[in-house]
Amino acid sequence: DGVSLCWPDWSRTPDLCDKYKTGVIDGPACNSLCVTETLYFGKCLSTKPNNQMYLGIWDNLPGVVKCQMEQALHLDFGTELEPRKEIVLFDKPTRGTTVQKFKEMVYSLFKAKLGDQGNLSELVNLILTVADGDKDGQVSLGEAKSAWALLQLNEFLLMVILQDKEHTPKLMGFCGDLYVMESVEYTSLYGISLPWVIELFIPSGFRRSMDQLFTPSWPRKAKIAIGLLEFVEDVFHGPYGNFLMCDTSAKNLGYNDKYDLKMVDMRKIVPETNLKELIKDRHCESDLDCVYGTDCRTSCDQSTMKCTSEVIQPNLAKACQLLKDYLLRGAPSEIREELEKQLYSCIALKVTANQMEMEHSLILNNLKTLLWKKISYTNDS
């Protein structure tokens, strides 16, 4: 079942349970993880050896269990984020911190990550509701320490911000920096996923052919694609600013048995403000030095030898690049030409273009309309 891809013997559990039993951390998943042992770890979903992501069962409900797999966003451009070298200390907030003081800490963190949005106070209150795991109307010190550790993670923050959106997996619970999210039946856009060890030896051309063989029918692919376009809308100028998708690949997207898209891995979706702040003064020799994740690229200013802060390609263009082969293969002949034209217009979108937002909305709506029109009368939709 690929357990070798995950850290041996689920190495974080004893550490988390010690901290829970000594009152350092708390959260709705702690009792099930450490006392009743009704949170089970099953198949390892990691496609790379530096991840910790498992299928799990919590009180008979399927879920995906994740442990902190990223360090706070210190940008190692062009490289993978390293697995953590140190154990999270859960040293904040300290004993004696009032709820008001904790709210101020969270507010300052959000201001640094998301910029000076007018409605950050609403988000702070939302976080306090999530942090109150036992729903007793109060946030204990242990719950606050767990919440603070989790708020350093982009994926957790995004899950809370987009908790009412259809394409974001629901948060089921947490304990320390471990969290459980709803299970997604199919964990890749394509119907087959292989362990990373095997992936290493498969030529990319053969892999693409395999992917195309194991895909749903075209109307179902179209429905999944509409879901991705809707998710792009969710993160583009959402209620708390713009988020950038920095690894738009098929392995990060899944879908359920109704062919509704669900995000599987959102670790490389980062707040634009945060990324710009960290990237703008980075030393560079060429544009290749100014990349975060796999596809958040800025340019290298040769006069200063520093990275510029504007990401070149918008989320929508990257989503269309991913969807091009997926949608064109098997597309109905009567819309194929129009679909291809719209996808190429979409891929050509640049952040710097005048009236980009208007063009972005127009292309996105045209694509969704074209796909919906074609599938709305089929059983597959």
Side-chain angles (χ1 to χ4, degrees):
D1 63 1
V3 169
S4 59
L5 301 189
C6 290
W7 291 44
D9 306 320
W10 184 245
S11 57
R12 292 300 318 287
T13 305
D15 174 61
L16 287 176
C17 289
D18 285 348
K19 286 188 162 47
Y20 168 59
K21 287 169 181 171
T22 53
V24 176
I25 60 170
D26 203 351
C30 289
N31 193 57
S32 301
L33 180 71
C34 304
V35 181
T36 61
E37 296 184 358
T38 49
L39 174 52
Y40 303 100
F41 303 105
K43 181 184 175 187
C44 172
L45 293 180
S46 305
T47 52
K48 292 192 174 158
N50 63 345
N51 281 4
Q52 282 194 52
M53 180 161 68
Y54 290 82
L55 281 180
I57 295 177
W58 182 15
D59 291 340
N60 297 322
L61 287 174
V64 174
V65 185
K66 295 188 175 186
C67 201
Q68 185 171 349
M69 299 177 290
E70 57 178 315
Q71 293 167 316
L73 186 62
H74 303 302
L75 298 192
D76 281 337
F77 287 77
T79 63
E80 275 295 317
L81 285 173
E82 287 292 307
R84 293 182 319 159
K85 301 292 192 298
E86 80 297 333
I87 294 296
V88 172
L89 297 172
F90 300 109
D91 55 350
K92 288 180 181 172
T94 51
R95 187 167 294 284
T97 302
T98 62
V99 171
Q100 185 54 39
K101 179 65 183 161
F102 181 57
K103 285 170 83 167
E104 287 166 16
M105 284 170 62
V106 174
Y107 187 92
S108 298
L109 176 72
F110 289 164
K111 195 170 172 183
K113 271 183 178 269
L114 304 171
D116 203 357
Q117 309 280 336
N119 52 354
L120 285 184
S121 299
E122 290 172 30
L123 183 56
V124 172
N125 290 331
L126 182 59
I127 292 298
L128 258 65
T129 307
V130 172
D132 178 17
D134 55 11
K135 303 297 172 221
D136 65 351
Q138 296 176 327
V139 178
S140 67
L141 183 62
E143 288 172 335
K145 283 179 187 284
S146 292
W148 183 256
L150 288 165
L151 287 175
Q152 312 308 312
L153 310 180
N154 292 311
E155 179 171 68
F156 185 83
L157 178 58
L158 199 57
M159 240 188 322
V160 174
I161 288 175
L162 301 177
Q163 62 179 353
D164 297 327
K165 300 293 185 182
E166 181 187 356
H167 306 296
T168 308
K170 299 286 175 276
L171 176 68
M172 293 168 67
F174 58 87
C175 179
D177 60 349
L178 170 148
Y179 55 102
V180 188
M181 50 199 257
E182 75 171 305
S183 182
V184 179
E185 282 87 342
Y186 301 94
T187 52
S188 174
L189 266 193
Y190 301 98
I192 186 165
S193 55
L194 299 169
W196 67 278
V197 178
I198 295 171
E199 290 276 14
L200 288 177
F201 298 103
I202 295 180
S204 58
F206 182 63
R207 174 73 229 213
R208 277 196 296 276
S209 305
M210 275 177 64
D211 281 342
Q212 296 298 351
L213 276 173
F214 290 94
T215 55
S217 64
W218 190 86
R220 288 170 171 170
K221 285 196 293 187
K223 189 179 181 193
I224 294 165
I226 289 167
L228 178 57
L229 297 173
E230 287 173 347
F231 181 77
V232 168
E233 283 182 292
D234 291 342
V235 296
F236 182 69
H237 294 320
Y240 305 103
N242 193 15
F243 281 73
L244 299 173
M245 297 168 72
C246 295
D247 184 1
T248 318
S249 56
K251 69 181 189 304
N252 294 333
L253 316 171
Y255 55 92
N256 62 18
D257 54 4
K258 295 190 177 78
Y259 299 92
D260 298 315
L261 176 106
K262 294 281 181 185
M263 298 304 293
V264 174
D265 191 340
M266 301 191 294
R267 287 177 299 138
K268 292 282 176 67
I269 302 177
V270 299
E272 182 176 31
T273 306
N274 202 192
L275 189 68
K276 280 184 168 180
E277 198 54 44
L278 288 160
I279 202 170
K280 67 179 183 189
D281 294 323
R282 184 174 177 84
H283 175 76
C284 58
E285 302 290 330
S286 74
D287 291 354
L288 294 174
D289 298 319
C290 302
V291 182
Y292 172 64
T294 53
D295 48 21
C296 275
R297 301 168 189 280
T298 75
S299 50
C300 181
D301 182 340
Q302 291 298 320
S303 63
T304 61
M305 306 305 278
K306 298 274 175 71
C307 293
T308 58
S309 63
E310 282 300 327
V311 173
I312 295 161
Q313 204 180 20
N315 293 336
L316 181 59
K318 291 182 276 195
C320 288
Q321 182 77 55
L322 175 64
L323 291 173
K324 179 171 70 76
D325 293 343
Y326 191 69
L327 282 176
L328 290 177
R329 186 183 172 90
S333 54
E334 63 272 22
I335 67 158
R336 187 187 163 86
E337 193 179 329
E338 177 61 22
L339 180 59
E340 189 167 19
K341 194 173 95 181
Q342 287 197 25
L343 284 167
Y344 276 107
S345 298
C346 175
I347 291 165
L349 271 175
K350 291 276 186 288
V351 167
T352 49
N354 286 336
Q355 299 176 310
M356 193 276 290
E357 289 196 27
M358 197 183 297
E359 199 181 349
H360 181 286
S361 300
L362 197 62
I363 286 173
L364 196 146
N365 288 330
N366 285 348
L367 255 175
K368 276 171 63 180
T369 304
L370 180 68
L371 294 171
W372 265 129
K373 259 189 192 165
K374 192 64 210 161
I375 65 171
S376 54
Y377 301 111
T378 67
N379 293 333
D380 283 333
S381 69

